[in-house]
Amino acid sequence: MRLETRKLLDKAFSGLGLISIAVMAIALLLILTPIVWRGSKAFVFKGTIEHRRVMLEQFHRGNAEKFNKDYAEVVAARAPIYDMLTDFEAGTEQRVSSIETEMDAKKERAKELKAEARVLKREGQTEEAEKLEAEEDRLKDEAKALKTQISELKESRTEPLESVIDALQELFGPMPGQRTPVLLRQQYGQTRWDRTLVKLHEVLYTEEWDYSNADAMGILIEKPRIDQFIGTEMESFFPYLEENISEMMQPRRTFYWQFITDKSKDSHIFGGIWPEVLGTIYLTIGAMIFAIPMGVIAAIYLCEYAKEGRIISFIRICISTLAGVPSIVFGLFGLAFFLNTIQVSDSKSVLAGSLTLSLLILPTIIRSSEEAILAVPRAYKEASLGLGASRWHTVLTVILPAALPGILTGIVISMGRAAGETAPIIFTAAVSVGAPLKLWQTLSQPTPALPWNIYNLCTEHEAVDEIRHVQYGMVFTLVAIVLLLNLGAILMRARISKKLRG
Amino acid sequence: MSKKANTSLIMSDAASRRQRISSLLGQSILFLITSLSTITVFFIFYFILKDALPFFKAEGFKEFFTTARWYPSGSPAEFGALPIFVGTGLVTLGAVVVAVPLGIAASVCLSDLLPFNVRQIVKPVIEVLAAIPSVAYGFFALVVFAPLLQNHGGAILSAGVWIVLGPLIALLVVVMGDLITDKLRDKMNPKTAGAIIFPILGIAAFIFLYRLSAQLSGVEISSGTNALNVSIILGIMALPTVVSVSEDALQAAGRELREGSYALGATRAETIIKTIIPASISGILAAVILGVMRAIGETMVVWMASGNASRIPDPWYNMLQPVRTLTATIAGDMGEADHVTGSSRFHVLFAMAFCLLAFSFIMNLVSEIIVKRSRKKLGK
């Protein structure tokens, strides 16, 4: 090959390497951006008056006086909407009743004619009677036509109205004068401005799917609802709604930091994620309580006491095997051993989950502690032993303090790992819905936890699309916890390496 | 006075014995705690196998490993897990295709190309990639990536072709063009030969790429939760493992080797490709194995975003169809099977877990042996 080509190839090779690094960075960015951006919207968003109502009524938070003033304005702004609905209903009824009176009159007349015809028949005037009977039949037909007209009228006015009312209730909550619904989510309108706009769209347009092309997927067709109400009392309903929506909802920038510390209401439709956060904290700390002593002691033994031999190399192989066991297998093991065999608790519990997680992170802690202990200069140890301290004394007073920052780094990283693991806690600790646990309840009770509930909310919840913000908020919280822990570890390590370099 | 000093400096026999015993006792306690992880490994094998055996006793091996009908809740229940094994393999293969080239290129870049300061910035990126919880990856795959794939599948595929194959084919064109001009040196002026050959090759490559991407942009993906989606995400998740282990291996090849190669007049690329990578190939292999293990053992991403259809894709390499994997089956079916503890439906999940466990155990041993051997070879 020519020299120029070799140089070119060298450059191209470097380029490929850089591209791979760039791809990695871009992948990280692509994954983190939606999580951070949309996750932060669980905390900072435009909250409507309904959000403030939920806060006031369910969490007793906020200024009641100011709220009442605002709410009075909102009610006033919404009043014309409901008036139009009642007008329309009244109009329907009026029309129905006017047709009904007409129908009744015709029926009455038909009855009279029938009676007259009977009289005439008895008198022998068959011809006249037949005439009257024909007239009666005609009237009856007309009455029947009026009846179908009524049902048509009802169909054309009542059914669209009902679907408008349904959509409107999702937007604003129950209608004035309506009985309070049982489900909490039906007692309030949309709490967020973005969801308000979605629901407004649903009020303004009907959705239909066109499946005429069997090969392709269905095509969504949206039709404005106003077409169904042209020439009625509702004609100005839709423009009014669209123009005055912000007066009716009063969106305001809200910083809802209590999202982390609030309980959830009505399976995460309202409120925050405190039970999940607390469950994750319990599980993580529980796992650390078991894993730290075991891991650090094992590392001390392997570094300071063990003589390299068959048994020790076997133990090392076991540790690396343990590190390679898939996390779901840990979950099954936790179920089969901790719950079904030694029965640390009757049902799933935080205790069983913590024990399972501690086994999962044990190899990580052993390895990182070992590294930290090996990094302590030999001179420290030799000086201590030379002064006559026993081996154990040396370990406790000289080696461990010197290795502590390194050990802590490993511990912090494995804390992040324990907080984010899902598979081991599915069968041992996690439930979808639950109250925040008291400390002593962790011995016997299962808990909701962030990783499990993220899965649960975005696959099994009955209103997946309605609570996207909660899902993103949870993912954001979990990722933030894990990344903060890792950031701490990175900073700690930077300090250690600075110190070691002098 | 002298007597007192004597007793304080020299231990009596009893005290010495006591100390020896206590230190022995302490050491044995430490040993016990250390061997806890060994015991755990044995317990895991024992308890998984204990619950897996009843399944094999009741249903035998043949149906489980060779048939394709998976209806554990039907009557009679059918336990053909072949599609699940195929799905696992397919997804893992896809993850390897994503993670291995990218990971090795990145690790080469980290160990040989980047200056120290830049490396200090890039390393945290890898650590963050490794630290993000798997459920967050799963959430991204299900909520962000799957709808994108479903709605703009063709565009994404053709863009992917340009991004991945574009640089590679450009490189290929340069190499081929240069080789051909070199061969034609006797008959033609190299400059005119280059002026003719490079455009021809370039246009041919462009047309090839264009046709390929045009064909792919017509593809419609009926469901965004499929093997492709999961493979890409799993590949990204396995990347940090591959990068860090193979970077260690490349570093271990040592300075002398590199300097020797440079002294012989090799460029950096030649040094890396012809000297460093062959020297550290076993470590890189171990990295690949660890990456495979990471992908195969991952639960949440596949459970959320693979579509969970226990059907062998048609044809088997069709990545655009939903698949089901071992881990997702265990996670998903245990909820239902938990109430029927003791039935084949419960035990079959342990049988699957045992297959996973056995596979990861063997892989782990292999990588361990490879790493040990390579260390010996490099004399460390």
Side-chain angles (χ1 to χ4, degrees):
Chain A
M1 253 190 265
R2 289 184 306 149
L3 188 63
E4 289 82 55
T5 326
R6 284 171 58 196
K7 278 185 182 163
L8 191 70
L9 273 181
D10 189 41
K11 286 209 177 102
F13 185 75
S14 309
L16 277 185
L18 289 178
I19 286 175
S20 68
I21 296 270
V23 165
M24 223 155 61
I26 290 170
L28 180 68
L29 217 66
L30 280 182
I31 289 170
L32 281 185
T33 311
I35 289 175
V36 172
W37 173 241
R38 295 196 55 185
S40 63
K41 283 189 177 170
F43 296 90
V44 182
F45 58 96
K46 270 186 168 178
T48 62
I49 185 83
E50 299 290 335
H51 173 74
R52 299 194 279 283
R53 194 154 75 92
V54 172
M55 284 297 113
L56 193 70
E57 290 175 8
Q58 299 294 328
F59 295 99
H60 312 291
R61 188 181 296 146
N63 185 344
E65 220 168 276
K66 192 163 169 293
F67 169 80
N68 285 336
K69 210 180 108 217
D70 286 351
Y71 199 61
E73 279 171 26
V74 165
V75 168
R78 285 180 192 176
I81 291 283
Y82 294 120
D83 286 348
M84 275 183 240
L85 285 177
T86 27
D87 280 356
F88 184 79
E89 259 175 351
T92 313
E93 231 152 72
Q94 200 187 338
R95 265 167 234 212
V96 168
S97 68
S98 78
I99 296 174
E100 262 172 353
T101 42
E102 198 181 332
M103 192 176 73
D104 286 345
K106 285 197 172 156
K107 272 186 186 163
E108 203 65 24
R109 180 84 189 108
K111 251 182 211 166
E112 280 172 27
L113 284 176
K114 200 176 178 184
E116 270 175 44
R118 206 173 289 151
V119 173
L120 284 178
K121 247 187 200 165
R122 214 176 291 145
E123 286 168 5
Q125 294 174 319
T126 358
E127 227 168 85
E128 289 280 306
E130 267 167 19
K131 234 186 219 167
L132 282 181
E133 269 171 2
E135 178 79 12
E136 183 211 331
D137 284 345
R138 195 179 57 79
L139 279 175
K140 266 189 183 164
D141 285 346
E142 274 179 14
K144 231 178 231 166
L146 284 177
K147 203 174 179 187
T148 50
Q149 206 182 330
I150 289 177
S151 60
E152 268 169 22
L153 192 71
K154 275 190 177 160
E155 205 169 287
S156 72
R157 287 177 65 108
T158 316
E159 276 179 18
L161 182 72
E162 270 170 7
S163 85
V164 168
I165 288 178
D166 284 347
L168 198 67
Q169 278 179 348
E170 282 196 24
L171 183 61
F172 288 149
M175 314 257 290
Q178 194 189 341
R179 213 157 49 108
T180 316
V182 182
L183 273 179
L184 200 62
R185 75 190 69 167
Q186 289 170 357
Q187 291 176 14
Y188 298 95
Q190 294 302 317
T191 55
R192 300 166 64 88
W193 183 240
D194 49 346
R195 294 300 305 166
T196 305
L197 293 182
V198 171
K199 290 290 170 188
L200 176 69
H201 191 83
E202 276 173 27
V203 177
L204 296 179
Y205 296 91
T206 56
E207 284 183 355
E208 263 172 45
W209 289 89
D210 177 19
Y211 292 107
S212 55
N213 184 0
D215 296 332
M217 277 180 276
I219 304 162
L220 180 71
I221 302 168
E222 292 189 326
K223 287 180 189 157
R225 267 191 220 269
I226 192 167
D227 293 353
Q228 300 170 340
F229 293 99
I230 281 178
T232 67
E233 297 86 338
M234 292 272 283
E235 204 174 347
S236 58
F237 176 90
F238 297 100
Y240 180 82
L241 191 65
E242 202 169 359
E243 275 162 29
N244 296 304
I245 185 74
S246 64
E247 277 84 61
M248 291 185 233
M249 285 307 237
Q250 296 204 343
R252 239 175 254 163
R253 191 146 290 280
T254 315
F255 178 40
Y256 181 38
W257 61 268
Q258 294 99 332
F259 180 71
I260 287 187
T261 56
D262 272 349
K263 285 181 203 174
S264 86
K265 298 268 177 184
D266 194 9
S267 54
H268 289 290
I269 302 274
F270 306 115
I273 54 172
W274 178 239
E276 285 80 10
V277 174
L278 188 70
T280 300
I281 292 174
Y282 278 149
L283 282 169
T284 311
I285 291 179
M288 297 331 280
I289 288 175
F290 296 115
I292 290 174
M294 292 194 320
V296 174
I297 288 176
I300 290 172
Y301 182 82
L302 287 176
C303 292
E304 296 297 325
Y305 287 90
K307 296 174 195 75
E308 292 299 326
R310 283 235 176 113
I311 295 177
I312 295 306
S313 72
F314 181 70
I315 288 180
R316 282 183 195 282
I317 286 179
C318 281
I319 291 173
S320 77
T321 305
L322 197 62
V325 171
S327 54
I328 187 80
V329 176
F330 273 106
L332 276 191
F333 171 69
L335 173 73
F337 181 63
F338 292 124
L339 287 178
N340 289 350
T341 306
I342 62 171
Q343 294 184 337
V344 295
S345 57
D346 293 337
S347 67
K348 294 178 186 179
S349 71
V350 177
L351 179 63
S354 299
L355 285 168
T356 313
L357 280 176
S358 73
L359 295 182
L360 179 85
I361 55 177
L362 191 58
T364 325
I365 291 194
I366 293 179
R367 277 180 187 170
S368 59
S369 307
E370 244 188 299
E371 257 170 48
I373 291 173
L374 286 178
V376 174
R378 269 186 81 87
Y380 285 24
K381 188 174 133 191
E382 280 160 4
S384 168
L385 288 176
L387 286 172
S390 71
R391 215 155 22 157
W392 183 239
H393 197 73
T394 307
V395 165
L396 277 189
T397 55
V398 177
I399 294 179
L400 270 189
L404 195 63
I407 294 177
L408 275 183
T409 311
I411 287 174
V412 167
I413 286 180
S414 37
M415 264 175 98
R417 174 109 195 271
E421 272 295 341
T422 322
I425 61 169
I426 300 173
F427 315 128
T428 53
V431 285
S432 334
V433 187
L437 295 186
K438 302 272 187 314
L439 193 57
W440 69 86
Q441 288 174 319
T442 54
L443 295 180
S444 59
Q445 304 244 335
T447 177
L450 278 175
W452 167 250
N453 280 62
I454 290 167
Y455 166 78
N456 191 55
L457 285 194
C458 70
T459 56
E460 287 169 6
H461 196 275
E462 65 265 31
V464 171
D465 285 326
E466 312 274 319
I467 53 161
R468 276 277 181 256
H469 61 280
V470 182
Q471 299 161 15
Y472 273 105
M474 273 189 187
V475 177
F476 177 58
T477 313
L478 182 64
V479 169
I481 291 174
V482 172
L483 290 192
L484 280 182
L485 285 173
N486 272 270
L487 187 71
I490 289 171
L491 291 181
M492 232 188 289
R493 202 169 37 208
R495 268 184 65 183
I496 296 169
S497 67
K498 219 183 216 172
K499 213 165 116 193
L500 283 183
R501 257 184 279 155
Chain B
M1 183 72 194
S2 71
K3 218 176 184 185
K4 207 176 178 189
N6 216 11
T7 48
S8 68
L9 279 178
I10 299 170
M11 268 188 263
S12 67
D13 276 2
S16 151
R17 206 179 303 131
R18 221 180 305 134
Q19 202 194 15
R20 231 183 311 151
I21 287 173
S22 73
S23 106
L24 206 68
L25 202 74
Q27 271 201 43
S28 49
I29 290 174
L30 287 187
F31 177 76
L32 271 184
I33 293 176
T34 307
S35 56
L36 211 75
S37 43
T38 316
I39 297 169
T40 308
V41 170
F42 275 103
F43 270 31
I44 289 179
F45 269 95
Y46 172 72
F47 278 96
I48 299 291
L49 194 61
K50 194 187 93 179
D51 271 327
L53 277 181
F55 171 75
F56 289 122
K57 256 182 211 157
E59 311 284 338
F61 291 93
K62 198 173 166 232
E63 188 195 8
F64 185 63
F65 286 112
T66 56
T67 64
R69 292 175 59 79
W70 173 256
Y71 296 106
S73 57
S75 59
E78 289 176 274
F79 296 102
L82 188 63
I84 299 176
F85 283 104
V86 171
T88 309
L90 190 64
V91 163
T92 310
L93 196 72
V96 166
V97 167
V98 173
V100 168
L102 210 58
I104 292 176
S107 65
V108 165
C109 201
L110 272 178
S111 77
D112 280 83
L113 299 178
L114 291 179
F116 182 77
N117 293 338
V118 184
R119 217 182 302 166
Q120 292 307 93
I121 302 169
V122 174
K123 278 221 160 162
V125 170
I126 297 167
E127 269 165 34
V128 168
L129 268 181
I132 293 177
S134 58
V135 72
Y137 279 110
F139 181 79
F140 176 83
L142 176 68
V143 175
V144 182
F145 197 41
L148 266 181
L149 264 184
Q150 196 160 335
N151 297 332
H152 313 283
I156 288 176
L157 284 182
S158 60
V161 163
W162 278 106
I163 292 170
V164 174
L165 288 186
L168 285 180
I169 285 190
L171 197 66
L172 199 71
V173 165
V174 171
V175 176
M176 292 277 289
D178 202 78
L179 281 179
I180 294 171
T181 36
D182 213 35
K183 282 215 167 146
L184 292 179
R185 180 162 291 180
D186 306 338
K187 295 167 193 166
M188 241 193 273
N189 181 6
K191 268 192 182 162
T192 43
I196 298 167
I197 284 161
F198 277 106
I200 292 176
L201 279 175
I203 289 169
F206 181 80
I207 289 174
F208 168 73
L209 269 180
Y210 184 79
R211 297 268 311 261
L212 191 66
S213 75
Q215 211 159 37
L216 280 176
S217 70
V219 171
E220 273 200 22
I221 300 178
S222 55
S223 161
T225 53
N226 54 33
L228 180 70
N229 181 342
V230 172
S231 295
I232 292 174
I233 302 290
L234 281 184
I236 294 173
M237 290 179 73
L239 254 182
T241 317
V242 178
V243 172
S244 61
V245 177
S246 65
E247 197 216 336
D248 281 348
L250 290 171
Q251 294 273 3
R255 223 182 146 82
E256 295 86 357
L257 218 53
R258 290 181 171 84
E259 279 165 1
S261 174
Y262 289 138
L264 289 173
T267 63
R268 193 148 58 171
E270 287 159 356
T271 305
I272 292 168
I273 293 175
K274 291 185 179 158
T275 316
I276 307 296
I277 290 183
S280 51
I281 190 73
S282 47
I284 293 175
L285 206 64
V288 172
I289 288 174
L290 288 177
V292 167
M293 276 167 59
R294 178 105 164 91
I296 239 179
E298 178 48 48
T299 312
M300 292 320 286
V301 172
V302 287
W303 191 16
M304 289 163 96
S306 69
N308 286 331
S310 55
R311 204 153 43 83
I312 297 177
D314 175 42
W316 65 267
Y317 51 81
N318 189 343
M319 299 287 279
L320 299 178
Q321 286 184 357
V323 293
R324 187 180 186 132
T325 67
L326 288 171
T327 49
T329 308
I330 296 171
D333 283 10
M334 187 48 96
E336 296 156 36
D338 207 10
H339 307 296
V340 282
T341 308
S343 70
S344 287
R345 215 178 140 198
F346 175 80
H347 291 304
V348 71
L349 302 178
F350 279 87
M352 285 178 169
F354 184 72
C355 295
L356 273 178
L357 190 59
F359 183 79
S360 65
F361 177 67
I362 292 168
M363 280 300 189
N364 206 18
L365 275 189
V366 169
S367 81
E368 198 92 334
I369 290 168
I370 288 174
V371 168
K372 218 169 247 174
R373 202 171 277 174
S374 79
R375 275 202 196 127
K376 233 179 234 167
K377 205 170 93 185
L378 288 169
K380 285 185 184 175

